[in-house]
Amino acid sequence: YHQVEIKNGTVVTKVVVNNEKIKDPMIKTTAKGSDGSSKITAGKSITIVDTVDYYNLTPGEKYVIKGTLMDKNTGEVFTVDGKAVTATKTFVPTSESGYVKMKFTFDASGVEDAKNLVVFEQLYLDGKLIATHEDINDASQTVTISKVPKTGDNMRIKFFTLLALLSGGAATYLVFRRKEDEI
């Protein structure tokens, strides 16, 4: 308790001050493919599901989470056809802690080499940034996308097909040649 005094020395009132530390809002995330794996095969339409755990939010307030996919190798925003791959989720928590899911669905058919994509998130309240989770080295925020593996080399198939045709042709020639010799 603290007392407040007027200049002439008389006590006016008591003011109660609680010294509770106000906890800052916090988020952490886990990104996976729609099948629950952190490894995804590139395709025309793939989905990364980002589970965002939040802490110390005010129930009943409207929050917005914005997410962006980052290319871990370059540290730059991951783009498809020149556009950043992003997702936005608006939610109203019913408790101080919980989670929401965001989905990033995009065309990854153009991925040539394996890509490590990291999800960066920003949490807003009334348009003001209040928390971020942007760690390029966080394995739980990272998903690896790889190109569809080739099952074989077409040149080998063509070579063996040609070899079989030539062998068959040579065998047929020898059979007819032998029959001619016998006559």
Side-chain angles (χ1 to χ4, degrees), residues 145-160:
I145 298 177
S146 56
K147 190 172 181 164
V148 178
K150 291 185 179 182
T151 56
D153 185 349
N154 287 340
M155 288 305 292
R156 285 186 184 196
I157 293 170
K158 289 176 184 176
F159 171 76
F160 286 116

Side-chain angles (χ1 to χ4, degrees), residues 38-60:
S38 62
K39 298 190 184 307
I40 301 173
T41 301
K44 188 74 175 157
S45 178
I46 67 165
T47 299
I48 295 175
V49 179
D50 188 32
T51 303
V52 181
D53 295 309
Y54 58 82
Y55 306 92
N56 308 321
L57 300 190
T58 303

Side-chain angles (χ1 to χ4, degrees), residues 62-77:
K62 186 191 300 185
Y63 293 88
V64 176
I65 292 182
K66 295 180 180 182
T68 304
L69 294 184
M70 303 294 288
D71 183 329
K72 182 175 181 175
N73 297 335
T74 65
E76 300 293 323
V77 173

Side-chain angles (χ1 to χ4, degrees), residues 2-181:
H2 295 276
Q3 292 185 353
V4 177
E5 296 181 19
I6 298 181
K7 288 186 177 189
N8 67 7
T10 58
V11 174
V12 174
T13 186
K14 290 184 179 181
V15 176
V16 177
V17 176
N18 290 326
N19 286 329
E20 276 186 40
K21 182 178 179 186
I22 297 173
K23 297 178 184 175
D24 290 330
M26 186 176 87
I27 56 176
K28 71 175 196 148
T29 64
T30 305
K32 301 282 183 192
S34 57
D35 66 352
S37 173
S38 62
K39 298 190 184 307
I40 301 173
T41 301
K44 188 74 175 157
S45 178
I46 67 165
T47 299
I48 295 175
V49 179
D50 188 32
T51 303
V52 181
D53 295 309
Y54 58 82
Y55 306 92
N56 308 321
L57 300 190
T58 303
E61 293 284 343
K62 186 191 300 185
Y63 293 88
V64 176
I65 292 182
K66 295 180 180 182
T68 304
L69 294 184
M70 303 294 288
D71 183 329
K72 182 175 181 175
N73 297 335
T74 65
E76 300 293 323
V77 173
F78 176 71
T79 60
V80 174
D81 295 329
K83 295 179 184 171
V85 179
T86 62
T88 301
K89 177 89 172 189
T90 300
F91 69 102
V92 177
T94 57
S95 64
E96 157 179 315
S97 298
Y99 71 91
V100 294
K101 292 184 182 256
M102 291 196 319
K103 291 183 179 183
F104 299 80
T105 300
F106 57 98
D107 180 355
S109 59
V111 172
E112 291 296 322
D113 299 318
K115 289 264 184 217
N116 291 313
L117 301 181
V118 183
V119 184
F120 277 16
E121 301 84 2
Q122 299 176 329
L123 179 64
Y124 295 86
L125 175 62
D126 297 327
K128 180 182 173 193
L129 179 64
I130 60 169
T132 63
H133 192 220
E134 299 176 338
D135 182 355
I136 199 78
N137 295 312
D138 187 342
S140 66
Q141 286 180 267
T142 305
V143 174
T144 302
I145 298 177
S146 56
K147 190 172 181 164
V148 178
K150 291 185 179 182
T151 56
D153 185 349
N154 287 340
M155 288 305 292
R156 285 186 184 196
I157 293 170
K158 289 176 184 176
F159 171 76
F160 286 116
T161 302
L162 180 61
L163 185 61
L165 289 171
L166 289 173
S167 298
T172 304
Y173 172 78
L174 290 174
V175 168
F176 282 118
R177 172 90 181 179
R178 189 174 204 169
K179 287 190 179 191
E180 283 181 5
D181 289 342

